[in-house]
Amino acid sequence: FKKVSLDINVTETTHNSASVQGIFMDWGNAEVIEKGFCWIGGNLTPTIENGNKHLIEEDDFNMQITGLKINSYYRVRAYAICKIGNQQEIAYSSSQDFYTDNMNLVSFDGINITDITYNSAKVQTAIMDWGNVEVIEKGFCWNSDGLTPTVENDKLLVKENDFTVLVQVISITAL
């Protein structure tokens, strides 16, 4: 029984994912009946029994591991379940360690408020750094009761790249 020999390469990491590539170094004389990756957070050596497991059915031996924790340590291995006759064994690559990145949020270049009238104002900002996150919504939020504005308060979405809006207050209540 000559086992399959595997290697692994972590090609890219983000704040919540890692791209991995399995490499067959030697096919041995066994039939590969299953191949994939197993990974685990922390210092343990991952196996298909103690870690997360993902089966690869395509000829490509690559995958994007997603749903990982931000700024965390992981270990990953490629595996292949091999068979010759009635005998079955699991071949593993060596462990490859990786860290997920910190999540860098978008940063802004202050807020510029101009053209102020009794019921409107022009509000403008610029994004200085897009960070390493996907922006799914952008705009301005405000609050008229003196609390810190949040997206749960009044908000106006911005679709343009210039990040400028005219905020109009529909009703004004005297205090």
Side-chain angles (χ1 to χ4, degrees):
F1 193 110
K2 185 175 176 196
K3 287 173 73 171
V4 170
S5 175
L6 297 167
D7 200 5
I8 188 167
N9 188 19
V10 177
T11 58
E12 181 181 1
T13 60
T14 70
H15 65 281
N16 66 351
S17 69
S19 298
V20 293
Q21 175 185 33
I23 304 158
F24 281 98
M25 304 299 286
D26 185 350
W27 283 92
N29 61 353
E31 174 190 1
V32 175
I33 58 175
E34 180 179 313
K35 67 181 181 189
F37 298 96
C38 53
W39 66 96
I40 195 165
N43 291 324
L44 296 175
T45 299
T47 68
I48 60 174
E49 290 86 20
N50 75 353
N52 298 290
K53 172 183 156 184
H54 184 82
L55 174 69
I56 303 292
E57 295 181 359
E58 301 84 33
D59 287 338
D60 235 4
F61 201 0
N62 302 306
M63 86 165 283
Q64 180 86 10
I65 301 172
T66 59
L68 302 175
K69 292 181 182 177
I70 297 167
N71 197 28
S72 296
Y73 174 74
Y74 290 89
R75 285 188 166 170
V76 63
R77 294 202 296 178
Y79 76 89
I81 299 177
C82 309
K83 182 179 180 182
I84 291 184
N86 293 334
Q87 199 176 10
Q88 189 171 305
E89 278 195 34
I90 302 172
Y92 289 102
S93 69
S94 59
S95 294
Q96 178 84 44
D97 301 343
F98 67 92
Y99 287 92
T100 53
D101 300 333
N102 281 324
M103 185 166 68
N104 298 323
L105 299 177
V106 174
S107 61
F108 297 95
D109 184 22
I111 294 179
N112 188 22
I113 303 173
T114 59
D115 303 335
I116 301 170
T117 70
Y118 75 96
N119 71 343
S120 68
K122 181 179 177 182
V123 183
Q124 185 175 24
T125 190
I127 294 178
M128 294 183 58
D129 183 357
W130 286 90
N132 62 355
V133 296
E134 178 185 4
V135 175
I136 58 172
E137 183 177 280
K138 64 181 182 173
F140 293 94
C141 55
W142 64 93
N143 191 331
S144 59
D145 63 8
L147 299 174
T148 301
T150 67
V151 293
E152 286 78 29
N153 303 125
D154 293 320
K155 71 179 178 180
L156 185 61
L157 300 181
V158 176
K159 297 194 185 308
E160 296 80 25
N161 287 331
D162 69 357
F163 226 115
T164 302
V165 296
L166 179 64
V167 176
Q168 289 187 302
V169 179
I170 303 303
S171 64
I172 298 176
T173 305
L175 299 175

